[in-house]
Amino acid sequence: MNLIRKILIPVDFSAYSRNALNYAFSFSQEIEAEIYTIYVVEPLIFPADFSMGQISIPAMDVDTTERAKNELSTFIDNVLGQNNQVKTVIKTGKPFVEINETAAELDIDLIIIASHGHTGVEHLFFGGTAEKVVRKAPCPVLTLREPIKGFKYKG
């Protein structure tokens, strides 16, 4: 009985997520699981004025989402080759929230996410998505930190 049928891999187009995608794809082939990738577009928010607060520009968000779909598709093809059977999801919002909500919506069995390994002040400004996903995820999470033990990069 296969307990892991669906795997979600958050992608941010970094070398870390490239390696995590490669690892997850190899892992999924061993256990015959489906792969879903997710890229989260953080909304463009501009200050309007002091009376209205911040506003989001919807037209720009639509253009950004379409561009993200194309970039994600190209990224996956470059990492795994074409005809790879990977499903893609594009969301807009806070990355850890959207990753966890998507995992729940798609009934994901495992999230495989790259950890950039930031510490201290660097962690405060750049890190934390993987940590927040781990704390709030509706399923088990496998975090990968470079170098990935037992994994040889194929690219």
Side-chain angles (χ1 to χ4, degrees):
M1 183 168 121
N2 187 1
L3 297 175
I4 301 173
R5 299 173 326 275
K6 296 180 183 177
I7 301 172
L8 180 66
I9 301 99
V11 171
D12 65 3
F13 304 117
S14 68
Y16 297 103
S17 65
R18 169 184 286 269
N19 289 343
L21 179 58
N22 253 322
Y23 181 90
F25 187 73
S26 296
F27 182 74
S28 73
Q29 288 184 316
E30 291 292 321
I31 63 170
E32 299 178 4
E34 291 180 283
I35 287 236
Y36 293 79
T37 57
I38 181 171
Y39 176 70
V40 181
V41 178
E42 296 197 57
L44 299 171
I45 297 176
F46 299 96
D49 62 34
F50 292 112
S51 63
M52 290 182 56
Q54 296 180 331
I55 61 169
S56 178
I57 310 295
M60 292 179 102
D61 284 350
V62 170
D63 182 49
T64 303
T65 301
E66 195 57 41
R67 223 178 16 234
K69 282 181 188 175
N70 293 334
E71 287 181 29
L72 181 57
S73 178
T74 300
F75 179 79
I76 293 167
D77 288 349
N78 287 340
V79 174
L80 303 176
Q82 295 184 356
N83 304 320
N84 52 56
Q85 305 297 315
V86 173
K87 295 169 180 68
T88 60
V89 178
I90 304 290
K91 295 282 183 122
T92 301
K94 287 193 178 283
F96 81 94
V97 171
E98 298 302 327
I99 292 165
N100 287 335
E101 284 182 1
T102 299
E105 289 166 9
L106 297 176
D107 194 26
I108 295 294
D109 301 303
L110 177 67
I111 299 170
I112 298 180
I113 187 169
S115 171
H116 293 209
H118 297 297
T119 59
V121 174
E122 207 176 26
H123 173 74
L124 287 173
F125 291 110
F126 304 113
T129 298
E131 180 184 342
K132 291 173 185 169
V133 168
V134 168
R135 281 192 279 142
K136 307 265 185 192
C139 62
V141 180
L142 173 61
T143 58
L144 302 175
R145 188 166 174 191
E146 298 288 328
I148 302 170
K149 182 179 179 180
F151 175 70
K152 302 289 185 231
Y153 176 63
K154 299 185 237 173

